[in-house]
Amino acid sequence: MQENGTSPRRTAKAQRGSSVAETPVVRAESLTKRFGGVVAVDDLSFELDQGTITGFLGPNGAGKTTTLRMLLGLAKPTSGRASLFGQPYAELAEPSRRVGAVLEATDFHPGRSGRDHLRMLAEAVDLPRSRVELVLQLVELQEAAHRRVKTY
């Protein structure tokens, strides 16, 4: 809380002119995941608004991938709720057109270029090749797109 009693999140939204009532693009509510006696994620809550760039940092075993897996419906939370665009991932219409995720750094062919890897992913979900070029431009990787993925 800030001195005036408002949260930094609400203040940031107000400064951007956004409505506080907007549904966050990503929401984790008290997410917990246990594997037997091991607690991988413990009561994690956060919200991400559209346009927010976020990174999960931490040592191996901190729960980063487990959290993403719960957000994507690949792992069921022991307790809590995960939603994207206000719904669980499995309930989204055409989820692969709304959410992109690559969770493991080994899910690529090392001899393929970055551009070709993205083309393969786009083709798998029936997106046009032009989308690959737009995304490369958006993340300012056009100059690196020809490099083999294993060199990234």
Side-chain angles (χ1 to χ4, degrees):
M1 288 294 217
Q2 295 179 349
E3 288 182 32
N4 64 4
T6 63
S7 73
R9 180 180 163 358
R10 293 194 192 282
T11 301
K13 277 188 158 188
Q15 289 172 350
R16 288 194 312 262
S18 299
S19 166
V20 174
E22 281 183 21
T23 300
V25 173
V26 178
R27 176 180 282 158
E29 300 173 77
S30 299
L31 280 182
T32 297
K33 180 64 178 174
R34 290 184 177 85
F35 296 98
V38 176
V39 179
V41 177
D42 189 14
D43 195 27
L44 176 65
S45 296
F46 64 90
E47 294 180 350
L48 303 175
D49 294 326
Q50 183 176 345
T52 302
I53 298 172
T54 303
F56 286 6
L57 302 174
N60 289 345
K64 303 176 299 290
T65 300
T66 301
T67 298
L68 293 173
R69 291 177 60 78
M70 287 189 287
L71 286 168
L72 296 170
L74 299 172
K76 184 178 178 181
T78 304
S79 62
R81 183 174 186 276
S83 62
L84 302 164
F85 304 100
Q87 299 177 289
Y89 180 85
E91 295 177 17
L92 292 173
E94 297 186 288
S96 60
R97 289 182 170 264
R98 300 193 70 192
V99 179
V102 178
L103 300 183
E104 301 294 332
T106 58
D107 288 346
F108 61 85
H109 186 284
R112 185 173 285 145
S113 72
R115 177 177 282 113
D116 285 342
H117 181 71
L118 291 175
R119 285 178 177 163
M120 181 210 48
L121 294 172
E123 188 172 322
V125 295
D126 201 29
L127 288 171
R129 281 187 164 210
S130 59
R131 180 67 180 150
V132 170
E133 297 307 317
L134 289 172
V135 169
L136 287 169
Q137 184 178 5
L138 178 70
V139 297
E140 299 178 0
L141 285 175
Q142 309 95 304
E143 297 297 319
H146 70 283
R147 290 181 22 214
R148 290 183 181 189
V149 175
K150 72 178 183 179
T151 68
Y152 289 172

